[in-house]
Amino acid sequence: MKKRLASVSNRLTSVSGEREPAARLDRQDSTALTALRFISKADGAAGRTTVENRFVEITATSGGLLPRSKFGECIGMDSIDFALELFDALARRRLMTQDTIDGDQLREFWEQISAQSFDSRLQTFFDIDSEGSKKLSHMLSLKLNTTRDPKPLKGWYSGLRHFVSDSLQMTSMYLAVPVAFPACEILIRPFRSSVSTVTIRKVAIYPGNVLTLHLSRPKNFKYESGQYMFVTCPTISTFEWYVKMHPFSITSAPQDEDLSIHIKVAGDWTNALKEHVGYMYQVCEPPPVRDKYLRAYSCEEMNPYSFPKIMIDGPYDAPAQNYKKYNVILLVGLGIGTAPMMSIIKDIINNVEAKEHSQINQMEEGTQRHQQGEKESMKTRKAYFYWVTKDQGSYSWFQNIMNEVTERDTNGVVEVNNYCTSIYEEGDVRSVFIRMLQSLNHSKNGVDIVSGTRVMTHFAKPNWKNVYKQIAMDHYGSHVGVFYCGEVSLAEELRQLALEFTHKTETRFSFHKENFYPPC
């Protein structure tokens, strides 16, 4: 990867020195070249320790916050101008507006800068090069200075010819990387080792147009909770893999035998996929189920070749997979954005049970063996999960998972909170009757009449300030990881509250936002 980026950088450098106009590029207009050189040399493993040591020295008198002006010094970047543009690009991608970052945010910045994957480095280059594109347009719009010439027409023609030639050369120089990289990526995508063909083992269709696929898991497919993968169906379009990929969060836990994804049917491709799966229901009716919300069908009870083949590419890193490094986490999912959170809470329960079983075995054997790597693998001891949705039927999407978590979580590690925004807030006269029936049924049968699960549903929207306040009080001095997946509207509020309570209390909050892709 480094050799490929370095090769492109050297090529651009050689092209820029061939003609005089390109040689007149100032320091700001060569941002693209500087970006390529820097990201091609960045080494995450070796450089992280050095960067962290510089961070401690620089922020010794600033309360652990690194100002934007010192970012270049901290990461070892000589060019101040480029360091500022790099800081702005990384902050803009995370919707950050402040001019300071803490240690966790710096670690996120460095992980993206030094990421070894092709997609991550390409995205970093594009983020930085956005401002270079504006400068290029400005340069091409400048008029040539006229000179006195005894043959004005000949001079005008000569100047125009050189201007067109230079403009085409400079344009091709700036377009070479943005065009060549995606083209190469598309061509090699089907041949990468991460691409696998899998079979559909189970399908479920839920209210709210949500489709769940349980897929066979490739032998060497190892992933972490919070990661995502790309999915396509050759039956829908043979050459689709070369044009567009469809990202979906993995909702199964790493310990599960199969892979599962939850798909919100809202675009052309997802509708086409639902039609292909729905056709199978017309051919053979699914077996009856007690759950009125669920229509499920297992491939074991029918011809395994009846369902279309699926191709997957992944897994790919996402912010939510970093939850294990926090003792306390706050998980917030908005609508279908709760998908990656389901994998996380299942993984937490699995790890807690595995640790308990290990301790029991050690006591029975009378040994005091220390399990190496356990501390680094998962630090999480308490998780607060908030799922906010406006449709009552949405709770059926993950009904089985929530019931499983509440039954297995005997130590109360995961606190589940459901909020239905289509019902008036608690205390409102219009919701008193619903609340009364809800309480009676839950006390008698242990089931919530709104969600159909063991978890009591709250009404209206959560008071996020009170949520942060309570966590700060209950976990004084802790470092809390906040992970959110959903629309941008709520992201900024949660980010600002994380900063506010970090400065006002002894509890630190680090906010992480998942990329919420548009419907496909």
Side-chain angles (χ1 to χ4, degrees):
M1 177 61 64
K2 292 182 179 179
K3 292 181 179 179
R4 291 169 62 190
L5 288 173
S7 175
V8 175
S9 176
N10 293 333
R11 174 58 183 159
L12 290 177
T13 305
S14 62
V15 171
S16 66
E18 290 176 3
R19 284 188 175 270
E20 181 181 357
R24 292 198 300 262
L25 290 176
D26 60 20
R27 186 176 303 173
Q28 292 182 340
D29 296 323
S30 61
T31 302
L33 300 180
T34 308
L36 278 175
R37 295 192 190 99
F38 187 77
I39 64 177
S40 66
K41 295 180 180 179
D43 189 344
R48 181 169 53 196
T49 302
T50 304
V51 171
E52 290 179 347
N53 290 338
R54 292 199 197 105
F55 174 82
V56 173
E57 295 177 0
I58 297 173
T59 62
T61 58
S62 59
L65 294 177
L66 178 70
R68 174 175 175 266
S69 58
K70 296 288 185 178
F71 180 67
E73 177 184 347
C74 185
I75 65 173
M77 182 66 207
D78 296 331
S79 173
I80 297 178
D81 294 335
F82 169 66
L84 295 177
E85 290 196 22
L86 178 60
F87 180 94
D88 293 340
L90 296 172
R92 183 168 55 249
R93 183 166 181 77
R94 291 164 175 76
L95 301 178
M96 294 171 53
T97 57
Q98 67 272 20
D99 289 335
T100 58
I101 57 174
D102 57 22
D104 291 323
Q105 292 167 328
L106 174 65
R107 195 172 297 110
E108 285 186 31
F109 282 17
W110 182 251
E111 287 176 357
Q112 180 175 342
I113 294 172
S114 60
Q116 298 297 314
S117 68
F118 180 82
D119 297 327
S120 299
R121 292 200 168 188
L122 182 61
Q123 184 61 57
T124 302
F125 172 76
F126 285 161
D127 291 343
I128 301 170
D129 198 38
S130 60
E131 294 298 326
S133 300
K134 297 178 182 178
K135 299 181 179 109
L136 173 64
S137 302
H138 174 69
M139 290 173 60
L140 295 180
S141 66
L142 294 178
K143 296 181 180 180
L144 292 174
N145 293 327
T146 58
T147 57
R148 296 180 181 273
D149 196 305
K151 297 180 180 180
L153 291 179
K154 183 178 179 179
W156 176 84
Y157 170 76
S158 177
L160 178 62
R161 181 169 59 85
H162 285 293
F163 172 75
V164 173
S165 176
D166 292 335
S167 298
L168 289 175
Q169 180 181 344
M170 293 177 62
T171 302
S172 63
M173 179 184 70
Y174 276 87
L175 293 179
V177 174
V179 173
F181 276 16
C184 294
E185 169 70 3
I186 290 174
L187 290 176
I188 68 174
R189 184 179 298 152
F191 306 102
R192 290 194 309 212
S193 59
S194 59
V195 176
S196 304
T197 300
V198 298
T199 58
I200 300 177
R201 295 212 173 151
K202 187 177 180 181
V203 173
I205 300 177
Y206 296 99
N209 246 356
V210 169
L211 175 67
T212 301
L213 299 182
H214 292 259
L215 309 171
S216 61
R217 181 173 177 175
K219 184 177 180 180
N220 296 323
F221 192 93
K222 297 181 180 179
Y223 67 97
E224 298 180 24
S225 292
Q227 291 184 319
Y228 68 97
M229 63 184 181
F230 290 101
V231 180
T232 192
C233 178
T235 306
I236 297 177
S237 177
T238 305
F239 300 101
E240 180 184 42
W241 198 260
Y242 294 93
V243 181
K244 186 178 182 181
M245 298 185 294
H246 309 282
F248 297 101
S249 297
I250 304 174
T251 53
S252 55
Q255 301 85 355
D256 293 345
E257 180 180 353
D258 295 337
L259 296 173
S260 67
I261 55 175
H262 286 64
I263 302 172
K264 179 69 173 179
V265 180
D268 295 337
W269 185 84
T270 50
N271 271 292
L273 180 62
K274 182 184 177 183
E275 289 179 3
H276 279 78
V277 176
Y279 171 74
M280 303 313 305
Y281 287 113
Q282 298 174 10
V283 173
C284 183
E285 288 296 324
V289 291
R290 293 182 179 181
D291 187 353
K292 65 179 180 180
Y293 294 116
L294 174 65
R295 297 170 58 197
Y297 193 54
S298 174
C299 291
E300 297 176 354
E301 302 171 7
M302 62 178 293
N303 188 341
Y305 297 101
S306 299
F307 280 104
K309 294 293 182 181
I310 298 294
M311 294 180 67
I312 62 174
D313 180 17
Y316 287 94
D317 292 345
Q321 74 186 71
N322 296 318
Y323 80 92
K324 293 183 178 181
K325 67 180 183 180
Y326 297 98
N327 293 325
V328 183
I329 60 174
L330 170 61
L331 307 173
V332 181
L334 198 62
I336 195 63
T338 197
M341 312 307 176
M342 290 298 171
S343 177
I344 291 176
I345 61 176
K346 287 178 63 179
D347 189 39
I348 292 175
I349 298 300
N350 289 337
N351 278 278
V352 170
E353 289 184 347
K355 182 180 179 181
E356 291 177 349
H357 293 160
S358 177
Q359 291 175 345
I360 293 175
N361 292 335
Q362 290 181 26
M363 293 177 61
E364 292 177 350
E365 296 174 2
T367 61
Q368 297 293 331
R369 292 175 301 174
H370 175 70
Q371 297 192 4
Q372 296 181 353
E374 179 183 341
K375 184 177 181 180
E376 290 74 17
S377 62
M378 193 185 80
K379 297 181 179 179
T380 308
R381 295 296 177 263
K382 184 65 178 181
Y384 298 90
F385 171 57
Y386 284 79
W387 184 12
V388 183
T389 181
K390 64 180 179 180
D391 299 319
Q392 179 184 356
S394 302
Y395 293 114
S396 62
W397 303 347
F398 303 102
Q399 190 178 75
N400 294 335
I401 296 178
M402 287 192 293
N403 283 332
E404 177 187 352
V405 168
T406 53
E407 290 176 4
R408 295 171 56 193
D409 186 21
T410 56
N411 297 322
V413 177
V414 180
E415 179 183 302
V416 181
N417 298 274
N418 294 335
Y419 279 81
C420 186
T421 59
S422 62
I423 303 178
Y424 296 104
E425 63 182 349
E426 298 176 14
D428 191 285
V429 177
R430 292 164 289 188
S431 62
V432 171
F433 182 68
I434 299 177
R435 189 63 177 176
M436 181 175 62
L437 292 178
Q438 182 188 34
S439 300
L440 289 174
N441 190 75
H442 192 273
S443 60
K444 182 179 180 180
N445 303 315
V447 178
D448 179 50
I449 61 174
V450 178
S451 65
T453 68
R454 298 176 182 273
V455 181
M456 286 280 286
T457 302
H458 303 279
F459 305 148
K461 298 179 181 179
N463 186 325
W464 294 114
K465 193 165 188 176
N466 288 343
V467 171
Y468 275 83
K469 181 180 179 180
Q470 191 61 48
I471 293 177
M473 294 172 59
D474 294 342
H475 303 279
Y476 180 85
S478 299
H479 191 182
V480 182
V482 182
F483 299 90
Y484 170 71
C485 185
E487 298 178 357
V488 181
S489 55
L490 180 58
E492 188 58 29
E493 180 183 354
L494 296 177
R495 185 191 302 276
Q496 292 301 325
L497 285 172
L499 292 174
E500 178 183 342
F501 278 87
T502 296
H503 292 298
K504 290 184 177 180
T505 68
E506 296 298 322
T507 304
R508 292 181 58 195
F509 292 86
S510 294
F511 180 79
H512 308 267
K513 179 185 178 300
E514 288 287 318
N515 293 323
F516 196 66
Y517 293 95
C520 57

